[in-house]
Amino acid sequence: MTQPRISTAFDSGAVDVVSLADQRDIQLNIRPDNAAEFAQWFHFRLQGCAGLPVTMRFLNAGQSAYPKGWEGYRAVASYDRQHWFRVPTSFDGKEMKVTMTPMAQSVYLAYFEPYSHERHLDLIGFANEHDNVEVQCLGQTLDGRDMELLVIGEPAEGKRKVWLIARQHPGETMAEWFVEGFLERILDGDDPVSRKLLEQCVFYVVPNMNPDGAARGNLRTNAAGANLNREWQSPTMERSPEVFLVRQKMLEVGVDLCLDAHGDENLPYNFVAGCEGNPGYTARIEALEEAFKAAWLATSPDFQTEYGYERDAKGEANLTLATNWVGQEFDCLAYTIEMPFKDNANLPDEEYGWSGERSKKLGAGVLLPVLAVVGKLR
Ligand code: GEM
Ligand code: ZN
């Protein structure tokens, strides 16, 4: 019987080890964010168990931020950190159990396919190579990382300003995979949809709103414990510089359409959440929302509108959320986009579930509903 080893000393690494005495009963606790109580993200390396039956018990799964997120959920594993696949997982309401027989001496496990800061910097580098992209650094986060904005297209009178922000909640890594797919398509000079859009708009893209929380392995908060999607009414440089800097830029250049990419722990679907509860919500905005959803439904079998969040009652919107604050401040179409940590129940994939690659495809596909509404945003 070998002595298993677990490490987390890498980008977004996070789990607490309770017992490693026997690989048939490895006991773990999901670690809370560094300065907040939210606990759901895990990412660790297991070594020393090649060919042996391994059981990993997450003892505190029932006290995580979203316990229902473990119902119908399967953890992801990878030997090379590039290719991730789902592994047998069960949840009894208290503990989550993951079982596998590793094929190699080293295997990684995570809540969802990670998106590292190095890959983030490579994505910025990819964009930087395009003549129609300006990479802007808006300022620094609390841990000193750059807040990066990509301005895509030539600003000109009459062009619409379309914003895409992502990963306010750092554990929702599918959001940055979504942006990677979006960028690869909008920067493809041979793509007719991208060419048509760039004639009509300039894109302002923030691939990662929360680089500190991402590197720290947080689910939902930044280095100061702030849930950035509750900071949009009154952000500060001391607590939420990420929001302060992006919001300041939005106020400087304006917003005609805003998309905020997230992941949802519970619902096995892709869906959107709008601004119906805003005091300034109008029939015009509602019509734009319906046109956007209709175009996405018509062009992507991975999108649906049957399942999603409860609609906010009129005038009851929480204006500390990005989508609501932006929609209200700029009287514009603003959508939260949610992808699943589990799978798309309408089109399940037994081996991978929802994945980075499928998030990329969805991000590339969102250009079509944007094209459907870009001519009527004002
Ligand atoms: C959610 S955003 C919830 C949006 N709800 C409505 N009704 N507009 C959050 O921040 O809690 C996004 C997320 O966490 O993924
Ligand atoms: Zn979120």
Side-chain angles (χ1 to χ4, degrees), residues 156 158-162 200-204 256-257 374-378:
K159 277 193 172 183
R160 298 302 176 215
K161 293 138 189 144
V162 177
Q200 304 175 73
C201 45
V202 179
F203 291 92
Y204 296 82
D256 295 312
L257 165 58
V374 70
K376 45 192 176 183
L377 290 175
R378 291 297 178 200

Side-chain angles (χ1 to χ4, degrees), residues 66 167-170 172 219-220 227 229-230 260-265 309 336-338 341:
Y66 300 92
R167 215 174 165 182
Q168 290 194 80
H169 297 136
E172 298 164 9
L219 173 76
R220 208 159 167 79
N227 174 351
N229 206 26
R230 299 297 184 273
D260 177 19
H262 286 255
D264 185 82
E265 291 78 4
Y309 295 141
T336 299
I337 294 171
E338 294 287 349
F341 279 95

Side-chain angles (χ1 to χ4, degrees), residues 8 80 90 139 142-143 153 155 159 176 204 213 235 289 327 356:
T8 56
D80 64 2
S90 61
L142 296 172
D143 286 348
K159 277 193 172 183
E176 192 155 10
Y204 296 82
E289 289 186 342

Side-chain angles (χ1 to χ4, degrees), residues 59-372:
L59 307 177
N60 64 347
Q63 286 84 48
S64 66
Y66 300 92
K68 287 196 174 309
W70 310 122
E71 293 170 6
Y73 164 79
R74 292 178 295 157
V76 294
S78 176
Y79 295 108
D80 64 2
R81 305 172 72 217
Q82 307 300 318
H83 305 93
W84 294 80
F85 52 93
R86 298 280 173 167
V87 288
T89 305
S90 61
F91 177 58
D92 64 7
K94 184 171 173 292
E95 286 184 11
M96 179 172 72
K97 195 182 291 183
V98 175
T99 56
M100 70 180 298
T101 301
M103 312 245 288
Q105 279 295 60
S106 169
V107 61
Y108 288 81
L109 287 115
Y111 181 32
F112 193 81
E113 187 170 354
Y115 198 105
S116 72
H117 191 63
E118 287 303 306
R119 191 176 184 112
H120 165 81
L121 294 175
D122 289 346
L123 183 63
I124 301 293
F126 160 72
N128 191 40
E129 294 213 296
H130 292 75
D131 295 341
N132 62 344
V133 175
E134 184 191 355
V135 178
Q136 290 187 11
C137 178
L138 302 177
Q140 269 68 45
T141 64
L142 296 172
D143 286 348
R145 292 185 178 85
D146 292 336
M147 275 305 290
E148 322 232 39
L149 168 71
L150 303 175
V151 182
I152 303 169
E154 297 306 320
E157 191 58 33
K159 277 193 172 183
R160 298 302 176 215
K161 293 138 189 144
V162 177
W163 284 78
L164 170 61
I165 65 175
R167 215 174 165 182
Q168 290 194 80
H169 297 136
E172 298 164 9
T173 56
M174 61 288 282
E176 192 155 10
W177 286 109
F178 181 95
V179 172
E180 183 174 304
F182 178 96
L183 289 175
E184 288 179 353
R185 183 168 189 183
I186 196 63
L187 295 177
D188 175 356
D190 297 322
D191 186 301
V193 172
S194 305
R195 293 176 60 199
K196 207 65 204 150
L197 278 170
L198 289 168
E199 286 173 4
Q200 304 175 73
C201 45
V202 179
F203 291 92
Y204 296 82
V205 180
V206 181
N208 187 348
M209 278 291 298
N210 197 336
D212 292 354
R216 285 170 173 267
N218 286 352
L219 173 76
R220 208 159 167 79
T221 59
N222 72 353
N227 174 351
L228 298 184
N229 206 26
R230 299 297 184 273
E231 291 288 318
W232 283 77
Q233 206 146 34
S234 44
T236 66
M237 283 303 289
E238 293 68 35
R239 175 175 168 75
S240 45
E242 302 91 346
V243 174
F244 187 93
L245 292 165
V246 171
R247 184 179 180 277
Q248 179 176 260
K249 190 71 180 180
M250 287 179 167
L251 290 166
E252 182 190 313
V253 303
V255 184
D256 295 312
L257 165 58
C258 182
L259 302 175
D260 177 19
H262 286 255
D264 185 82
E265 291 78 4
N266 298 330
L267 292 172
Y269 298 102
N270 294 293
F271 59 94
V272 288
C275 304
E276 66 281 347
N278 280 5
Y281 190 67
T282 58
R284 179 181 77 87
I285 298 294
E286 183 175 20
L288 284 172
E289 289 186 342
E290 293 309 313
F292 188 93
K293 285 187 290 190
W296 213 354
L297 273 176
T299 55
S300 173
D302 261 335
F303 180 70
Q304 61 78 51
T305 57
E306 185 180 351
Y307 298 94
Y309 295 141
E310 284 274 299
R311 288 175 64 83
D312 289 339
K314 184 155 180 50
E316 296 297 314
N318 177 344
L319 295 177
T320 67
L321 275 73
T323 294
N324 293 338
W325 181 83
V326 173
Q328 180 69 21
E329 178 68 25
F330 297 99
D331 185 22
C332 70
L333 175 58
Y335 258 145
T336 299
I337 294 171
E338 294 287 349
M339 290 167 275
F341 279 95
K342 300 175 185 177
D343 196 352
N344 168 11
N346 291 337
L347 197 58
D349 182 316
E350 185 50 35
E351 189 172 0
Y352 301 110
W354 193 253
S355 65
E357 189 56 35
R358 293 177 77 185
S359 304
K360 284 187 67 171
K361 293 283 191 298
L362 196 73
V366 82
L367 291 183
L368 293 173
V370 173
L371 183 64

